[in-house]
PDB file of all heavy atoms in Angstrom:
ATOM      1  N   THR R 206     116.323 -62.897 -16.230  1.00  0.00           N
ATOM      2  CA  THR R 206     115.691 -61.941 -15.449  1.00  0.00           C
ATOM      3  C   THR R 206     115.836 -60.483 -16.020  1.00  0.00           C
ATOM      4  O   THR R 206     116.704 -60.258 -16.866  1.00  0.00           O
ATOM      5  CB  THR R 206     116.320 -61.917 -14.000  1.00  0.00           C
ATOM      6  OG1 THR R 206     117.722 -61.626 -14.153  1.00  0.00           O
ATOM      7  CG2 THR R 206     116.079 -63.283 -13.291  1.00  0.00           C
ATOM      8  N   CYS R 207     114.982 -59.652 -15.604  1.00  0.00           N
ATOM      9  CA  CYS R 207     115.154 -58.236 -15.881  1.00  0.00           C
ATOM     10  C   CYS R 207     115.971 -57.626 -14.765  1.00  0.00           C
ATOM     11  O   CYS R 207     115.503 -57.465 -13.648  1.00  0.00           O
ATOM     12  CB  CYS R 207     113.767 -57.471 -15.956  1.00  0.00           C
ATOM     13  SG  CYS R 207     113.829 -55.857 -16.479  1.00  0.00           S
ATOM     14  N   ASP R 208     117.241 -57.351 -15.075  1.00  0.00           N
ATOM     15  CA  ASP R 208     118.176 -57.042 -13.992  1.00  0.00           C
ATOM     16  C   ASP R 208     117.917 -55.615 -13.493  1.00  0.00           C
ATOM     17  O   ASP R 208     117.596 -54.699 -14.211  1.00  0.00           O
ATOM     18  CB  ASP R 208     119.607 -57.067 -14.578  1.00  0.00           C
ATOM     19  CG  ASP R 208     120.687 -57.021 -13.491  1.00  0.00           C
ATOM     20  OD1 ASP R 208     120.808 -58.026 -12.769  1.00  0.00           O
ATOM     21  OD2 ASP R 208     121.354 -56.037 -13.401  1.00  0.00           O
ATOM     22  N   ASP R 209     118.045 -55.441 -12.136  1.00  0.00           N
ATOM     23  CA  ASP R 209     117.719 -54.137 -11.578  1.00  0.00           C
ATOM     24  C   ASP R 209     118.872 -53.125 -11.854  1.00  0.00           C
ATOM     25  O   ASP R 209     118.718 -51.877 -11.636  1.00  0.00           O
ATOM     26  CB  ASP R 209     117.411 -54.229 -10.105  1.00  0.00           C
ATOM     27  CG  ASP R 209     118.600 -54.890  -9.252  1.00  0.00           C
ATOM     28  OD1 ASP R 209     119.726 -54.861  -9.744  1.00  0.00           O
ATOM     29  OD2 ASP R 209     118.315 -55.369  -8.152  1.00  0.00           O
ATOM     30  N   ALA R 210     120.081 -53.604 -12.229  1.00  0.00           N
ATOM     31  CA  ALA R 210     121.204 -52.754 -12.507  1.00  0.00           C
ATOM     32  C   ALA R 210     121.541 -51.751 -11.424  1.00  0.00           C
ATOM     33  O   ALA R 210     122.073 -50.747 -11.692  1.00  0.00           O
ATOM     34  CB  ALA R 210     120.981 -52.047 -13.899  1.00  0.00           C
ATOM     35  N   GLU R 211     121.314 -52.178 -10.189  1.00  0.00           N
ATOM     36  CA  GLU R 211     121.551 -51.223  -9.082  1.00  0.00           C
ATOM     37  C   GLU R 211     122.999 -50.909  -8.869  1.00  0.00           C
ATOM     38  O   GLU R 211     123.320 -49.880  -8.251  1.00  0.00           O
ATOM     39  CB  GLU R 211     120.974 -51.914  -7.712  1.00  0.00           C
ATOM     40  CG  GLU R 211     119.511 -51.887  -7.663  1.00  0.00           C
ATOM     41  CD  GLU R 211     118.927 -50.464  -7.677  1.00  0.00           C
ATOM     42  OE1 GLU R 211     119.459 -49.625  -7.030  1.00  0.00           O
ATOM     43  OE2 GLU R 211     117.947 -50.267  -8.482  1.00  0.00           O
ATOM     44  N   HIS R 212     123.951 -51.747  -9.398  1.00  0.00           N
ATOM     45  CA  HIS R 212     125.336 -51.501  -9.263  1.00  0.00           C
ATOM     46  C   HIS R 212     125.870 -50.478 -10.310  1.00  0.00           C
ATOM     47  O   HIS R 212     127.043 -50.108 -10.292  1.00  0.00           O
ATOM     48  CB  HIS R 212     126.150 -52.813  -9.377  1.00  0.00           C
ATOM     49  CG  HIS R 212     126.012 -53.468 -10.686  1.00  0.00           C
ATOM     50  ND1 HIS R 212     124.802 -54.011 -11.094  1.00  0.00           N
ATOM     51  CD2 HIS R 212     126.864 -53.728 -11.660  1.00  0.00           C
ATOM     52  CE1 HIS R 212     124.954 -54.557 -12.260  1.00  0.00           C
ATOM     53  NE2 HIS R 212     126.214 -54.441 -12.587  1.00  0.00           N
ATOM     54  N   LEU R 213     124.945 -50.085 -11.237  1.00  0.00           N
ATOM     55  CA  LEU R 213     125.392 -49.160 -12.291  1.00  0.00           C
ATOM     56  C   LEU R 213     124.903 -47.754 -12.110  1.00  0.00           C
ATOM     57  O   LEU R 213     123.686 -47.570 -11.709  1.00  0.00           O
ATOM     58  CB  LEU R 213     124.812 -49.667 -13.622  1.00  0.00           C
ATOM     59  CG  LEU R 213     125.359 -51.055 -14.119  1.00  0.00           C
ATOM     60  CD1 LEU R 213     124.779 -51.355 -15.494  1.00  0.00           C
ATOM     61  CD2 LEU R 213     126.870 -51.099 -14.190  1.00  0.00           C
ATOM     62  N   ASP R 214     125.734 -46.710 -12.261  1.00  0.00           N
ATOM     63  CA  ASP R 214     125.272 -45.341 -12.280  1.00  0.00           C
ATOM     64  C   ASP R 214     124.935 -44.901 -13.730  1.00  0.00           C
ATOM     65  O   ASP R 214     124.171 -43.980 -13.933  1.00  0.00           O
ATOM     66  CB  ASP R 214     126.411 -44.456 -11.764  1.00  0.00           C
ATOM     67  CG  ASP R 214     126.619 -44.683 -10.261  1.00  0.00           C
ATOM     68  OD1 ASP R 214     125.641 -44.961  -9.604  1.00  0.00           O
ATOM     69  OD2 ASP R 214     127.777 -44.602  -9.816  1.00  0.00           O
ATOM     70  N   VAL R 215     125.457 -45.665 -14.702  1.00  0.00           N
ATOM     71  CA  VAL R 215     125.261 -45.385 -16.052  1.00  0.00           C
ATOM     72  C   VAL R 215     124.963 -46.740 -16.745  1.00  0.00           C
ATOM     73  O   VAL R 215     125.753 -47.705 -16.516  1.00  0.00           O
ATOM     74  CB  VAL R 215     126.391 -44.688 -16.831  1.00  0.00           C
ATOM     75  CG1 VAL R 215     126.132 -44.555 -18.299  1.00  0.00           C
ATOM     76  CG2 VAL R 215     126.499 -43.274 -16.179  1.00  0.00           C
ATOM     77  N   ILE R 216     123.970 -46.880 -17.605  1.00  0.00           N
ATOM     78  CA  ILE R 216     123.721 -48.016 -18.406  1.00  0.00           C
ATOM     79  C   ILE R 216     124.149 -47.672 -19.820  1.00  0.00           C
ATOM     80  O   ILE R 216     123.540 -46.749 -20.431  1.00  0.00           O
ATOM     81  CB  ILE R 216     122.283 -48.522 -18.333  1.00  0.00           C
ATOM     82  CG1 ILE R 216     121.992 -49.044 -16.964  1.00  0.00           C
ATOM     83  CG2 ILE R 216     122.062 -49.576 -19.440  1.00  0.00           C
ATOM     84  CD1 ILE R 216     120.488 -49.506 -16.805  1.00  0.00           C
ATOM     85  N   GLU R 217     125.083 -48.380 -20.309  1.00  0.00           N
ATOM     86  CA  GLU R 217     125.593 -48.056 -21.669  1.00  0.00           C
ATOM     87  C   GLU R 217     125.396 -49.264 -22.646  1.00  0.00           C
ATOM     88  O   GLU R 217     125.818 -50.345 -22.307  1.00  0.00           O
ATOM     89  CB  GLU R 217     127.090 -47.684 -21.644  1.00  0.00           C
ATOM     90  CG  GLU R 217     127.641 -47.197 -22.992  1.00  0.00           C
ATOM     91  CD  GLU R 217     129.018 -46.672 -22.897  1.00  0.00           C
ATOM     92  OE1 GLU R 217     129.728 -46.911 -21.873  1.00  0.00           O
ATOM     93  OE2 GLU R 217     129.521 -45.961 -23.860  1.00  0.00           O
ATOM     94  N   TYR R 218     124.771 -49.000 -23.711  1.00  0.00           N
ATOM     95  CA  TYR R 218     124.556 -50.030 -24.746  1.00  0.00           C
ATOM     96  C   TYR R 218     125.279 -49.771 -25.972  1.00  0.00           C
ATOM     97  O   TYR R 218     125.573 -48.654 -26.330  1.00  0.00           O
ATOM     98  CB  TYR R 218     123.003 -50.106 -25.031  1.00  0.00           C
ATOM     99  CG  TYR R 218     122.150 -50.689 -23.940  1.00  0.00           C
ATOM    100  CD1 TYR R 218     121.144 -49.940 -23.319  1.00  0.00           C
ATOM    101  CD2 TYR R 218     122.251 -52.027 -23.691  1.00  0.00           C
ATOM    102  CE1 TYR R 218     120.312 -50.500 -22.400  1.00  0.00           C
ATOM    103  CE2 TYR R 218     121.417 -52.625 -22.731  1.00  0.00           C
ATOM    104  CZ  TYR R 218     120.452 -51.802 -22.061  1.00  0.00           C
ATOM    105  OH  TYR R 218     119.634 -52.448 -21.106  1.00  0.00           O
ATOM    106  N   PHE R 219     125.568 -50.840 -26.705  1.00  0.00           N
ATOM    107  CA  PHE R 219     126.304 -50.763 -27.978  1.00  0.00           C
ATOM    108  C   PHE R 219     125.541 -51.493 -29.113  1.00  0.00           C
ATOM    109  O   PHE R 219     125.036 -52.590 -28.864  1.00  0.00           O
ATOM    110  CB  PHE R 219     127.750 -51.393 -27.906  1.00  0.00           C
ATOM    111  CG  PHE R 219     128.681 -50.591 -27.086  1.00  0.00           C
ATOM    112  CD1 PHE R 219     128.574 -50.626 -25.659  1.00  0.00           C
ATOM    113  CD2 PHE R 219     129.584 -49.827 -27.652  1.00  0.00           C
ATOM    114  CE1 PHE R 219     129.436 -49.853 -24.850  1.00  0.00           C
ATOM    115  CE2 PHE R 219     130.520 -49.052 -26.843  1.00  0.00           C
ATOM    116  CZ  PHE R 219     130.475 -49.097 -25.502  1.00  0.00           C
ATOM    117  N   HIS R 220     125.404 -50.833 -30.250  1.00  0.00           N
ATOM    118  CA  HIS R 220     124.879 -51.421 -31.416  1.00  0.00           C
ATOM    119  C   HIS R 220     125.982 -51.938 -32.355  1.00  0.00           C
ATOM    120  O   HIS R 220     126.983 -51.223 -32.516  1.00  0.00           O
ATOM    121  CB  HIS R 220     124.018 -50.457 -32.281  1.00  0.00           C
ATOM    122  CG  HIS R 220     122.936 -49.811 -31.539  1.00  0.00           C
ATOM    123  ND1 HIS R 220     122.153 -50.425 -30.676  1.00  0.00           N
ATOM    124  CD2 HIS R 220     122.471 -48.517 -31.628  1.00  0.00           C
ATOM    125  CE1 HIS R 220     121.199 -49.627 -30.256  1.00  0.00           C
ATOM    126  NE2 HIS R 220     121.463 -48.452 -30.722  1.00  0.00           N
ATOM    127  N   ILE R 221     125.914 -53.103 -32.843  1.00  0.00           N
ATOM    128  CA  ILE R 221     126.825 -53.611 -33.881  1.00  0.00           C
ATOM    129  C   ILE R 221     126.118 -53.702 -35.256  1.00  0.00           C
ATOM    130  O   ILE R 221     125.081 -54.422 -35.320  1.00  0.00           O
ATOM    131  CB  ILE R 221     127.370 -55.000 -33.533  1.00  0.00           C
ATOM    132  CG1 ILE R 221     128.283 -54.847 -32.228  1.00  0.00           C
ATOM    133  CG2 ILE R 221     128.255 -55.525 -34.657  1.00  0.00           C
ATOM    134  CD1 ILE R 221     128.854 -56.169 -31.804  1.00  0.00           C
ATOM    135  N   ILE R 222     126.585 -52.912 -36.181  1.00  0.00           N
ATOM    136  CA  ILE R 222     125.910 -52.913 -37.468  1.00  0.00           C
ATOM    137  C   ILE R 222     126.839 -53.509 -38.567  1.00  0.00           C
ATOM    138  O   ILE R 222     127.980 -53.111 -38.767  1.00  0.00           O
ATOM    139  CB  ILE R 222     125.556 -51.413 -37.899  1.00  0.00           C
ATOM    140  CG1 ILE R 222     124.684 -50.850 -36.790  1.00  0.00           C
ATOM    141  CG2 ILE R 222     124.804 -51.394 -39.238  1.00  0.00           C
ATOM    142  CD1 ILE R 222     124.418 -49.380 -37.016  1.00  0.00           C
ATOM    143  N   LEU R 223     126.331 -54.503 -39.253  1.00  0.00           N
ATOM    144  CA  LEU R 223     127.000 -55.112 -40.348  1.00  0.00           C
ATOM    145  C   LEU R 223     126.276 -54.672 -41.702  1.00  0.00           C
ATOM    146  O   LEU R 223     125.273 -53.939 -41.693  1.00  0.00           O
ATOM    147  CB  LEU R 223     126.920 -56.660 -40.246  1.00  0.00           C
ATOM    148  CG  LEU R 223     127.415 -57.296 -38.915  1.00  0.00           C
ATOM    149  CD1 LEU R 223     127.248 -58.808 -39.013  1.00  0.00           C
ATOM    150  CD2 LEU R 223     128.815 -56.869 -38.600  1.00  0.00           C
ATOM    151  N   ASP R 224     126.871 -55.076 -42.814  1.00  0.00           N
ATOM    152  CA  ASP R 224     126.150 -54.691 -44.115  1.00  0.00           C
ATOM    153  C   ASP R 224     124.798 -55.383 -44.172  1.00  0.00           C
ATOM    154  O   ASP R 224     123.881 -54.798 -44.853  1.00  0.00           O
ATOM    155  CB  ASP R 224     126.995 -55.145 -45.283  1.00  0.00           C
ATOM    156  CG  ASP R 224     128.257 -54.248 -45.419  1.00  0.00           C
ATOM    157  OD1 ASP R 224     128.199 -53.104 -45.011  1.00  0.00           O
ATOM    158  OD2 ASP R 224     129.243 -54.814 -45.962  1.00  0.00           O
ATOM    159  N   GLN R 225     124.598 -56.495 -43.594  1.00  0.00           N
ATOM    160  CA  GLN R 225     123.354 -57.201 -43.600  1.00  0.00           C
ATOM    161  C   GLN R 225     123.029 -57.657 -42.176  1.00  0.00           C
ATOM    162  O   GLN R 225     123.916 -57.955 -41.344  1.00  0.00           O
ATOM    163  CB  GLN R 225     123.361 -58.455 -44.483  1.00  0.00           C
ATOM    164  CG  GLN R 225     123.643 -58.108 -45.931  1.00  0.00           C
ATOM    165  CD  GLN R 225     123.598 -59.343 -46.807  1.00  0.00           C
ATOM    166  OE1 GLN R 225     123.029 -60.412 -46.468  1.00  0.00           O
ATOM    167  NE2 GLN R 225     124.310 -59.320 -47.975  1.00  0.00           N
ATOM    168  N   HIS R 226     121.715 -57.676 -41.885  1.00  0.00           N
ATOM    169  CA  HIS R 226     121.277 -58.237 -40.550  1.00  0.00           C
ATOM    170  C   HIS R 226     121.746 -59.635 -40.461  1.00  0.00           C
ATOM    171  O   HIS R 226     121.523 -60.449 -41.331  1.00  0.00           O
ATOM    172  CB  HIS R 226     119.707 -58.130 -40.467  1.00  0.00           C
ATOM    173  CG  HIS R 226     119.261 -58.505 -39.136  1.00  0.00           C
ATOM    174  ND1 HIS R 226     118.227 -59.550 -39.007  1.00  0.00           N
ATOM    175  CD2 HIS R 226     119.483 -58.091 -37.906  1.00  0.00           C
ATOM    176  CE1 HIS R 226     117.931 -59.692 -37.742  1.00  0.00           C
ATOM    177  NE2 HIS R 226     118.705 -58.802 -37.051  1.00  0.00           N
ATOM    178  N   ASP R 227     122.306 -60.052 -39.359  1.00  0.00           N
ATOM    179  CA  ASP R 227     122.899 -61.386 -39.135  1.00  0.00           C
ATOM    180  C   ASP R 227     122.925 -61.802 -37.755  1.00  0.00           C
ATOM    181  O   ASP R 227     122.418 -61.000 -36.849  1.00  0.00           O
ATOM    182  CB  ASP R 227     124.327 -61.395 -39.808  1.00  0.00           C
ATOM    183  CG  ASP R 227     124.565 -62.826 -40.476  1.00  0.00           C
ATOM    184  OD1 ASP R 227     124.273 -63.864 -39.883  1.00  0.00           O
ATOM    185  OD2 ASP R 227     125.090 -62.804 -41.630  1.00  0.00           O
ATOM    186  N   VAL R 228     123.473 -62.921 -37.479  1.00  0.00           N
ATOM    187  CA  VAL R 228     123.558 -63.472 -36.119  1.00  0.00           C
ATOM    188  C   VAL R 228     125.009 -63.701 -35.771  1.00  0.00           C
ATOM    189  O   VAL R 228     125.807 -64.232 -36.563  1.00  0.00           O
ATOM    190  CB  VAL R 228     122.847 -64.824 -36.049  1.00  0.00           C
ATOM    191  CG1 VAL R 228     123.032 -65.506 -34.705  1.00  0.00           C
ATOM    192  CG2 VAL R 228     121.347 -64.589 -36.183  1.00  0.00           C
ATOM    193  N   ILE R 229     125.421 -63.171 -34.537  1.00  0.00           N
ATOM    194  CA  ILE R 229     126.825 -63.284 -34.083  1.00  0.00           C
ATOM    195  C   ILE R 229     126.859 -63.945 -32.711  1.00  0.00           C
ATOM    196  O   ILE R 229     125.769 -64.234 -32.140  1.00  0.00           O
ATOM    197  CB  ILE R 229     127.476 -61.938 -34.020  1.00  0.00           C
ATOM    198  CG1 ILE R 229     126.759 -60.959 -33.035  1.00  0.00           C
ATOM    199  CG2 ILE R 229     127.626 -61.297 -35.422  1.00  0.00           C
ATOM    200  CD1 ILE R 229     127.384 -59.635 -32.903  1.00  0.00           C
ATOM    201  N   ASP R 230     128.051 -64.259 -32.254  1.00  0.00           N
ATOM    202  CA  ASP R 230     128.200 -64.942 -30.966  1.00  0.00           C
ATOM    203  C   ASP R 230     128.541 -63.996 -29.920  1.00  0.00           C
ATOM    204  O   ASP R 230     129.576 -63.204 -29.956  1.00  0.00           O
ATOM    205  CB  ASP R 230     129.398 -65.954 -31.168  1.00  0.00           C
ATOM    206  CG  ASP R 230     129.591 -66.848 -29.947  1.00  0.00           C
ATOM    207  OD1 ASP R 230     129.257 -66.443 -28.772  1.00  0.00           O
ATOM    208  OD2 ASP R 230     130.093 -67.947 -30.066  1.00  0.00           O
ATOM    209  N   ALA R 231     127.661 -63.957 -28.842  1.00  0.00           N
ATOM    210  CA  ALA R 231     127.983 -63.095 -27.705  1.00  0.00           C
ATOM    211  C   ALA R 231     127.964 -63.918 -26.435  1.00  0.00           C
ATOM    212  O   ALA R 231     126.901 -64.562 -26.085  1.00  0.00           O
ATOM    213  CB  ALA R 231     126.855 -62.003 -27.571  1.00  0.00           C
ATOM    214  N   GLU R 232     129.087 -64.073 -25.767  1.00  0.00           N
ATOM    215  CA  GLU R 232     129.207 -64.914 -24.554  1.00  0.00           C
ATOM    216  C   GLU R 232     128.745 -66.367 -24.811  1.00  0.00           C
ATOM    217  O   GLU R 232     128.217 -66.934 -23.954  1.00  0.00           O
ATOM    218  CB  GLU R 232     128.421 -64.305 -23.387  1.00  0.00           C
ATOM    219  CG  GLU R 232     128.800 -62.868 -23.033  1.00  0.00           C
ATOM    220  CD  GLU R 232     130.128 -62.747 -22.348  1.00  0.00           C
ATOM    221  OE1 GLU R 232     130.855 -63.798 -22.276  1.00  0.00           O
ATOM    222  OE2 GLU R 232     130.489 -61.650 -21.883  1.00  0.00           O
ATOM    223  N   GLY R 233     128.961 -66.858 -26.044  1.00  0.00           N
ATOM    224  CA  GLY R 233     128.656 -68.185 -26.412  1.00  0.00           C
ATOM    225  C   GLY R 233     127.224 -68.396 -26.764  1.00  0.00           C
ATOM    226  O   GLY R 233     126.810 -69.523 -27.141  1.00  0.00           O
ATOM    227  N   ALA R 234     126.454 -67.378 -26.815  1.00  0.00           N
ATOM    228  CA  ALA R 234     125.014 -67.409 -27.259  1.00  0.00           C
ATOM    229  C   ALA R 234     124.939 -66.725 -28.585  1.00  0.00           C
ATOM    230  O   ALA R 234     125.600 -65.732 -28.843  1.00  0.00           O
ATOM    231  CB  ALA R 234     124.091 -66.845 -26.282  1.00  0.00           C
ATOM    232  N   LEU R 235     123.974 -67.183 -29.491  1.00  0.00           N
ATOM    233  CA  LEU R 235     123.841 -66.532 -30.728  1.00  0.00           C
ATOM    234  C   LEU R 235     122.769 -65.420 -30.626  1.00  0.00           C
ATOM    235  O   LEU R 235     121.693 -65.624 -30.169  1.00  0.00           O
ATOM    236  CB  LEU R 235     123.323 -67.568 -31.732  1.00  0.00           C
ATOM    237  CG  LEU R 235     124.267 -68.692 -32.076  1.00  0.00           C
ATOM    238  CD1 LEU R 235     123.742 -69.678 -33.057  1.00  0.00           C
ATOM    239  CD2 LEU R 235     125.601 -68.139 -32.625  1.00  0.00           C
ATOM    240  N   CYS R 236     123.239 -64.215 -31.025  1.00  0.00           N
ATOM    241  CA  CYS R 236     122.346 -63.023 -30.950  1.00  0.00           C
ATOM    242  C   CYS R 236     122.426 -62.249 -32.255  1.00  0.00           C
ATOM    243  O   CYS R 236     123.333 -62.282 -33.027  1.00  0.00           O
ATOM    244  CB  CYS R 236     122.842 -62.029 -29.792  1.00  0.00           C
ATOM    245  SG  CYS R 236     122.915 -62.799 -28.211  1.00  0.00           S
TER     246      CYS R 236
END
Side-chain angles (χ1 to χ4, degrees):
T206 60
C207 186
D208 195 70
D209 58 21
E211 285 302 313
H212 62 294
L213 299 180
D214 293 323
V215 173
I216 292 179
E217 185 173 16
Y218 285 116
F219 288 78
H220 303 317
I221 295 178
I222 304 175
L223 308 179
D224 287 334
Q225 299 179 24
H226 184 235
D227 215 314
V228 171
I229 59 177
D230 185 332
E232 303 289 6
L235 296 178
C236 304

